[in-house]
């Protein structure tokens, strides 16, 4: 398959949006930018198109997808029951990196929800994504545009690295601003539950839902055979090809630890970089967890190029956006954590 590359500069933007929408309406699959990561989009109403997404990614079909809409009116076409707390979150965080799991109205293809009676919905803030959704007239099911299990792509070049020749088109926009996938909250439980942390933090959510529960799967591996209602909960995700460990400890102890290990590489904070003598990549500053979120996936991909046998990643804090970064890293490391 020849994968079209659709440019988004001022000269080509309208034509590229039109072409992407045309492919989607025909049942094609197209990688589109969002503010979080690139998504591999298909019509959420077309089960055959959605199955192409699973096939291109090599994604397990019991892992549900998120439906992307451009306007609040789309929510009422997809969800059957919308609690007031969900509407308040939509008013506060949409458009933006926030996904809500609600009772499905039964309008999306069954495979989108992995056989569940719920549907995950979000409204991205990226203008290119919303323009494509509006032009297509479709709700778009879109997981991350990468080979399943690999680090999510935050630029078009990483999409091409995994999926060139396997999908109809890639919309060639710039880097994603946030860098980690959206926060996911389910509203179908008695008490709303945070299933996946993201740029909308637990602290922000508690301002609206004081009793929100953080699901234990955020920081640990779900039991085998467990049904999950959100992407990113069940399987080893986001992993480089190199064996990876998450390391908890203060700056100097991390530097001392990795410096003593042969044939390793480190993903570290800016503050400790000069003390580390092994091959390394800085993935942000611990003073600003948003920098860690922005760079974590690209750093995990680039770390493979360092030629090490093992990668050690310095763990961020578990507060604010740091919880989202920690959640991705513990899965990238297949839940292997070293505490210094």
């Amino acid at each position: 398959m020849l994968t079209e590359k659709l440019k988004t500069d001022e000269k080509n933007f309208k034509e590229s949006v039109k072409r992407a929408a045309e492919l989607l309406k025909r049942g094609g699959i197209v990688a589109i930018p969002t503010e979080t990561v690139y998504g591999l989009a298909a019509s959420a109403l077309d089960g055959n198109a959605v199955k192409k997404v699973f096939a291109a990614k090599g994604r397990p079909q019991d892992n549900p997808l998120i439906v992307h809409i451009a306007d609040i009116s789309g929510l009422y076409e997809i969800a059957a029951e919308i609690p007031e707390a969900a509407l308040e979150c939509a008013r506060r965080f949409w458009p933006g990196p926030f996904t809500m799991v609600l009772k499905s109205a039964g309008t999306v293809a069954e495979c989108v929800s992995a056989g569940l009676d719920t549907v995950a919905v979000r409204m991205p803030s990226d203008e290119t994504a919303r323009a494509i959704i509006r032009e297509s007239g479709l709700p778009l099911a879109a997981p991350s545009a990468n080979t399943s299990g690999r680090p999510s792509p935050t630029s078009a070049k990483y999409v091409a690295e995994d999926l060139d020749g396997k999908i109809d088109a890639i919309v060639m926009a710039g880097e994603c601003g946030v860098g980690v996938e959206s926060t996911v909250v389910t509203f179908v439980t008695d008490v709303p539950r945070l299933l996946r942390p993201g740029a909308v933090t637990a602290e922000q959510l508690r301002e609206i839902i004081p009793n929100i529960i953080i699901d234990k799967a955020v920081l640990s591996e779900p039991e085998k055979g467990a049904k999950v209602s959100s992407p990113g909960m069940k399987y080893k995700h986001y992993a480089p090809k190199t064996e990876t460990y998450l390391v908890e400890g203060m700056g100097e102890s991390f530097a001392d630890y990795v410096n003593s290990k042969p044939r390793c590489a480190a993903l570290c904070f800016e503050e400790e970089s000069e003390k580390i003598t092994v091959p390394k990549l800085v993935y942000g500053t611990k003073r600003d967890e948003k920098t860690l979120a922005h760079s974590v996936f690209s750093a995990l991909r680039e770390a493979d190029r360092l030629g090490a046998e093992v990668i050690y990643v310095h763990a961020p804090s578990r507060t604010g956006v740091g919880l989202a970064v920690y959640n991705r890293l513990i899965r990238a490391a297949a839940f292997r954590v070293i505490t210094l």
Side-chain angles (χ1 to χ4, degrees):
M1 176 186 292
L2 177 65
T3 298
E4 296 181 39
K5 309 298 194 303
L6 305 177
K7 298 179 181 178
T8 55
D9 56 283
E10 188 174 349
K11 178 183 176 183
N12 294 287
F13 181 81
K14 287 185 179 179
E15 190 59 37
S16 291
V17 166
K18 185 177 178 181
R19 177 58 178 160
E22 181 181 284
L23 289 168
L24 290 162
K25 286 188 281 188
R26 290 181 183 178
I29 56 176
V30 179
I32 65 172
T34 79
E35 76 280 15
T36 57
V37 300
Y38 274 73
L40 182 54
S43 167
L45 309 179
D46 184 343
N48 289 328
V50 174
K51 287 174 183 175
K52 293 179 189 177
V53 170
F54 283 108
K57 284 176 59 67
R59 181 185 178 97
Q61 293 199 25
D62 62 346
N63 204 359
L65 308 181
I66 292 171
V67 179
H68 294 64
I69 58 175
D71 301 285
I72 194 71
S73 58
L75 178 62
Y76 295 93
E77 297 172 8
I78 292 167
E81 299 174 18
I82 309 169
E84 181 56 35
L87 287 174
E88 181 58 31
C89 285
R91 287 190 283 267
R92 173 85 175 269
F93 303 123
W94 278 2
F98 178 75
T99 295
M100 55 179 73
V101 177
L102 301 162
K103 286 288 185 183
S104 175
T107 50
V108 301
E110 185 178 353
C111 54
V112 171
S113 298
L116 301 172
D117 63 354
T118 56
V119 63
V121 190
R122 92 174 183 97
M123 185 194 300
S125 61
D126 183 272
E127 289 301 327
T128 302
R130 291 172 72 198
I132 291 169
I133 297 167
R134 287 196 181 105
E135 182 70 24
S136 71
L138 297 165
L140 299 181
S144 55
N146 59 306
T147 300
S148 189
R150 294 276 289 141
S152 299
T154 51
S155 71
K157 72 174 182 178
Y158 294 134
V159 178
E161 199 173 84
D162 282 10
L163 299 178
D164 197 9
K166 298 179 181 179
I167 64 177
D168 292 291
I170 301 171
V171 179
M172 307 293 287
E175 284 192 4
C176 302
V178 174
V180 294
E181 300 88 348
S182 60
T183 301
V184 180
V185 173
T186 179
F187 291 90
V188 300
T189 48
D190 290 338
V191 178
R193 185 178 292 266
L194 175 63
L195 302 181
R196 183 177 73 185
V200 174
T201 66
E203 292 84 355
Q204 289 175 300
L205 289 166
R206 287 192 183 104
E207 294 174 11
I208 299 171
I209 313 165
N211 60 340
I212 191 169
I213 296 169
I214 297 178
D215 195 281
K216 64 180 183 180
V218 166
L219 295 173
S220 61
E221 190 172 13
E223 295 177 9
K224 289 184 179 180
K227 271 283 194 181
V228 299
S229 53
S230 167
M233 291 180 72
K234 189 171 182 182
Y235 299 93
K236 177 185 174 183
H237 267 44
Y238 322 117
K241 295 172 183 176
T242 310
E243 186 176 345
T244 301
Y245 290 83
L246 188 60
V247 181
E248 297 184 328
M250 301 298 288
E252 287 192 13
S253 62
F254 177 78
D256 290 343
Y257 181 80
V258 297
N259 289 343
S260 70
K261 295 292 180 181
R263 297 179 296 281
C264 79
L267 261 60
C268 63
F269 306 140
E270 182 181 303
E271 291 84 348
E272 64 202 4
S273 175
E274 291 184 1
K275 298 174 184 175
I276 294 173
T277 57
V278 300
K280 67 203 170 193
L281 286 171
V282 173
Y283 78 107
T285 170
K286 65 181 180 181
R287 296 189 303 272
D288 183 356
E289 291 147 352
K290 290 180 181 179
T291 66
L292 303 176
H294 178 76
S295 300
V296 63
F297 286 142
S298 59
L300 286 170
R301 282 183 176 263
E302 294 301 322
D304 274 331
R305 308 187 207 283
L306 296 177
E309 293 181 4
V310 181
I311 298 167
Y312 296 106
V313 187
H314 200 170
S317 73
R318 302 185 196 181
T319 59
V321 181
L323 180 63
V325 181
Y326 190 100
N327 167 268
R328 296 341 186 252
L329 287 172
I330 199 171
R331 282 162 168 75
F335 301 91
R336 293 178 296 226
V337 180
I338 297 167
T339 303
L340 304 179

